[in-house]
Amino acid sequence: MAAADTTAPARRSRKRLWIVLALLLAALIGLRWVSRPSQISWIALAQTGRALGLQISASGASEYRLRGTPMLEVRDLVARVPGSDKPLLRAGRVYLAAPWSTIRAAGSVLDIERIELDAPQLDIGELNRWLATRPPSPGPTRIPRLSRGARVSDGRAIGEGWSVENIGLDFAELDPDKPLRGRVRGRALTAGVAVPFDLAATLHRPTAARGLGLSGAVAVEARDWRLPMRVRAGARLHAGADGLGLDALRLGADARYRSGDTDLPFAYGVAGPLRYRDGELSLAPMGAALRAAADSAVPNLDAGGRFGFGAALGLHWQGRIHAWPQVWPALPPPLGQSKTPLDFQLDYDGKADLSDAVALRAQRDGTSFDGRFRLPQMLAWIDAKDGSPLPPLSGAVSTPKIEISGAALEGVEVQIEDDPPAAAAAPGS
């Protein structure tokens, strides 16, 4: 009887020992599994994906650090909208460092040390698709703090018929209660036109309806001409049902139009609300002013209207040229003697390089013109030393009186037809 009493406790002790050993072994295996960087990254990306409603994976090598400020680095990241075979975001490398207080807070605190993205590629169409699935925010958008800022290198954004390549972004600190200062650069491409830019930016506060300042270098480059500029701009950030953009934009620039031997310096300014929505960039209503030296082929003018850029470039201006440029061919009397400003209306819908036809209506005193021309041909004619006395345009001129070679003609109506470009000779002809 006594032997049976001592055997039962011994069995229970051995059973407990096996349970402890099994739990210890499971803990060691679990610790080994979790200590692998790929498993840490898988857990982090899976949790992030569930929170954002995205499928996120990383096929490259991963690293992490738990001492000091925790850090996670993943490579070859891909994020997709569930059900889509088209990535919303790709990135060669993503680096994130966040303090323990942020990790323990599980999202209630957004203090981050630093974020870095190498070679990210963002699909704007997929981004809009994802945003349409997100529930409305119950309150104002929360802005994270980045104590050591962020860096984006060699980025790319892809839209319908356009892209922005070689995107770079740097800022040293992000704080919702402090001004944000940084630099942004890249190269926008669309329809045979490239727009490289390198701008310093200052944002009064990183939220909507706050002041933004920009300054730096921008250029517009087409096949046959180039327009480098130094720009300065001020505006307020805007986000609403009519799209993203800038309110009260005021932009001024010192520019030079260069094509072959032509080099035309001038200054210009534009103002108005800038919007981006459904693949179109617009500035409407807009005001514009153009200024150049008295001996320049660029006229001094003021205008208002609309600018739109999406599948095509649209420019619709109505304004006034203050004086006929001195280097333009002289008008016959009495038009040439008049000091009256020239009222005009200009309409363009076509290629971004401005190579399509421009519709122009102009009036001075009782004389009016209604016609069409192409800007590259017109600029070449203005710059030519010896050439046709008539500009390369088509249209109709109506004037109550004109003097030619000492003869005065009244009630004149003239139809002008531009000669089409000569056709290339057929091979063997």
Side-chain angles (χ1 to χ4, degrees), residues 162 244-245 274-284 306-314:
W162 61 269
L244 302 175
L274 183 71
R275 295 288 183 272
Y276 177 80
R277 183 185 181 189
D278 298 332
E280 182 178 17
L281 186 70
S282 65
L283 186 63
R306 182 184 187 278
F307 164 86
F309 183 64
L313 173 64

Side-chain angles (χ1 to χ4, degrees), residues 12 35 255 287 321 413:
R12 287 195 293 270
S35 67
I321 297 176
E413 292 187 4

